[in-house]
Amino acid sequence: MFSTAMAMHQHSNGKPAEQPLVTDAEQPILSTLISFRNRLAALKKDRGNYYRPNDIVSLYNDTLEQVRLLYSIRQGDKHDIMFKNRIDSVLDECFQLFSLFYLALGKSKEIPATYVQLVTIKQNIELFKESGIYTDADLEPFRTRLREIRQIVDHESDKDESEEADVIKPELKLVSRRLEQCEKELSALEETTRIISDELTPIYEELVHIRRRLTALSFLPHESVTDEAKGFQKRLIEIDDMRVDDRFVNQDTGEVAEGQTQIVGLLEECFDRLHDLMAEGSTVPKDMMPVYDRLMEIRIQLDKLLLTSRWTLRETDLWSYQVQLQDVDGLRKNGQFKDSTGEPAPQQAQAALNFLLHKCYNLLYKLLSSSEPVAETLMPVHNQLRTLRRCLLEVKKYGGPLSARDLYPYQMKLSSIDNLRVDGKFLDDEGHIPEGQAIVMSLLNECYDLMYELMATEVDE
């Protein structure tokens, strides 16, 4: 069975082994998948036309046929679950691209759309695991989204059981495997925060905030962070003074509170980072600046997309950022960035670069999770209705008594949007019914309700 796990086999000397060669039997499948990936890349670059659902779904089904062939070829081979050659890498890229296309088509409730989200969730969870710096609130968005994806997968599995049992659905197996990996790793992180007592939880959350802020300060000039660093130093000493015989205790019972290891370890790490910050100032060495600059550029671009995504983002645009981040992530060895000599970069630099990498992955996840289940052909109407609704709400809140003349522009705009419908449906340029009808109709009805409320209070001129 193929696997998209990013692990490598190791030689006995500890050096990474080369990927296993693609067999002669698998070679035609690899060639076909590469041609599919190239077609997807070409479609992604075409910004002059909307994506045609039939083209994407047809190509996706053709890809699944190739995966079924791969299953049948590998069925007799004894590959472990971590087995991975070039065909698996290309397949992973294809599924991530298909996932982004499905999001762009508004098919966010379908199995293919969940794949790239699971990839990004796993990247975030692994970085949380490496840093050990997170709160339950940090995990909540991922916990919620994994539950939603679990419902989608279970629903599809139920449908699968009611159909022919011998029909292989590789997309369901692939997504289920990734989902189980994410759920398992998230559960391990949750267990770490769960064992911290209620009394120590506020202290733990404050230390997480201080630790992150100290990392953020390391990007700034030394002279500009001194005052804030001293403030954190004072607060850390106050927290340290809360200990009795080097332990945090329950103030009511005097018993040792649970979660000592996490709290004390984080407190000591904060002191270490504070000392490094006050002693060194800026912590990214010159030979690591190219990585730092690249991550900062990605972060700036993702921040801009987060602000303007509703009007400018095509979900497939995120592919280039995913690839760039995976390239940077690939520079790390055992979770550490290495300098030009091959030695691990200083701890403060590690923290700063890992902080930036995680921030970028988190922004990427937010952009993916904010994708509306509305096809891009319907997004102009969707955005116009959202803007109109916001205007009507503002008028209702602050506008005061309005005359018919005041309301006329809003009525005209609402009428012009409503007139786009054909037999009650919004259609694309080819006469097809795009995804997202229910959401757009809900917005349209809400605008009409607001308009009727305003008309009921209008005054004569």
Side-chain angles (χ1 to χ4, degrees), residues 206-441:
E206 184 179 1
L207 288 173
V208 168
H209 167 73
I210 291 174
R211 174 68 179 80
R212 286 177 177 162
R213 184 59 187 159
L214 290 173
T215 299
L217 290 177
S218 69
F219 298 127
L220 303 176
H222 184 244
E223 60 276 6
S224 66
V225 304
T226 304
D227 289 343
E228 189 171 356
K230 287 181 178 177
F232 284 133
Q233 183 180 43
K234 179 182 178 183
R235 180 55 185 155
L236 289 173
I237 292 172
E238 289 173 352
I239 293 174
D240 195 25
D241 288 343
M242 294 178 185
R243 292 198 279 177
V244 178
D245 295 330
D246 292 331
R247 292 177 178 273
F248 290 96
V249 299
N250 186 304
Q251 293 182 352
D252 295 330
T253 64
E255 296 178 353
V256 175
E258 293 188 19
Q260 295 292 316
T261 303
Q262 287 83 351
I263 301 293
V264 174
L266 187 52
L267 178 62
E268 291 176 353
E269 190 172 346
C270 285
F271 273 121
D272 289 341
R273 292 289 176 265
L274 181 66
H275 176 269
D276 292 341
L277 179 66
M278 297 180 75
E280 302 172 16
S282 181
T283 57
V284 180
K286 287 184 179 180
D287 58 352
M288 301 300 295
M289 285 305 293
V291 178
Y292 169 79
D293 290 339
R294 189 176 181 189
L295 285 171
M296 281 299 293
E297 180 62 27
I298 295 172
R299 176 183 174 176
I300 290 168
Q301 292 173 356
L302 290 174
D303 271 326
K304 287 180 181 177
L305 280 176
L306 203 59
L307 291 173
T308 62
S309 61
R310 190 171 302 284
W311 297 274
T312 63
L313 179 68
R314 243 181 171 180
E315 280 79 0
T316 49
D317 295 340
L318 299 176
W319 173 243
S320 63
Y321 298 107
Q322 177 81 326
V323 171
Q324 289 181 69
L325 289 175
Q326 288 174 348
D327 286 345
V328 174
D329 209 346
L331 298 175
R332 302 190 305 153
K333 305 297 181 187
N334 298 321
Q336 292 189 320
F337 288 96
K338 301 297 180 71
D339 61 21
S340 56
T341 66
E343 293 298 317
Q347 278 197 339
Q348 230 4 27
Q350 295 287 349
L353 293 173
N354 281 315
F355 172 82
L356 267 182
L357 179 63
H358 196 173
K359 182 69 175 178
C360 290
Y361 271 134
N362 200 30
L363 287 170
L364 187 63
Y365 170 74
K366 285 181 179 179
L367 285 163
L368 287 169
S369 61
S370 66
S371 176
E372 296 269 10
V374 177
E376 63 169 357
T377 52
L378 206 52
M379 283 306 290
V381 173
H382 177 266
N383 291 337
Q384 289 180 61
L385 285 170
R386 282 183 63 93
T387 302
L388 181 57
R389 182 186 64 175
R390 187 166 61 249
C391 290
L392 292 172
L393 286 170
E394 290 296 311
V395 169
K396 179 182 175 183
K397 188 174 181 179
Y398 300 111
L402 299 170
S403 65
R405 179 180 296 179
D406 295 326
L407 295 174
Y408 182 73
Y410 303 109
Q411 288 177 297
M412 285 296 295
K413 184 61 180 176
L414 188 55
S415 178
S416 69
I417 295 174
D418 199 0
N419 288 337
L420 296 174
R421 292 195 292 163
V422 177
D423 295 330
K425 302 286 186 181
F426 290 98
L427 307 181
D428 61 20
D429 294 340
E430 298 180 355
H432 299 135
I433 301 174
E435 298 282 342
Q437 297 289 322
I439 290 176
V440 173
M441 285 304 302

Side-chain angles (χ1 to χ4, degrees), residues 84-197:
K84 182 177 184 291
N85 62 15
R86 191 181 174 212
I87 198 169
D88 298 286
S89 300
V90 174
L91 193 57
D92 179 61
E93 291 178 10
C94 287
F95 271 107
Q96 289 194 53
L97 279 166
F98 276 122
S99 193
L100 292 169
F101 275 106
Y102 267 68
L103 288 172
L105 293 172
K107 298 176 178 290
S108 59
K109 301 294 185 184
E110 298 187 25
I111 286 291
T114 64
Y115 185 84
V116 73
Q117 296 176 64
L118 287 170
V119 170
T120 312
I121 289 173
K122 191 170 190 298
Q123 289 160 339
N124 275 280
I125 289 175
E126 286 177 347
L127 284 166
F128 276 133
K129 181 181 177 181
E130 287 176 12
S131 70
I133 304 167
Y134 55 88
T135 65
D136 193 63
D138 295 323
L139 303 180
E140 180 57 34
F142 304 106
R143 182 187 302 124
T144 300
R145 184 56 187 150
L146 287 177
R147 284 179 188 147
E148 293 169 352
I149 294 176
R150 170 56 67 190
Q151 290 178 349
I152 294 172
V153 169
D154 287 348
H155 176 71
E156 195 65 27
S157 298
D158 291 342
K159 283 171 55 181
D160 193 29
E161 289 177 3
S162 65
E163 296 171 1
E164 297 180 42
D166 60 345
V167 175
I168 298 174
K169 289 199 171 181
E171 72 277 24
L172 192 56
K173 290 188 176 183
L174 185 60
V175 168
S176 294
R177 184 179 301 156
R178 277 205 171 270
L179 177 59
E180 287 166 6
Q181 290 173 346
C182 289
E183 289 174 332
K184 183 178 179 180
E185 292 187 20
L186 179 65
S187 178
L189 295 184
E190 289 174 329
E191 185 61 30
T192 302
T193 60
R194 194 177 294 122
I195 62 177
I196 299 173
S197 67

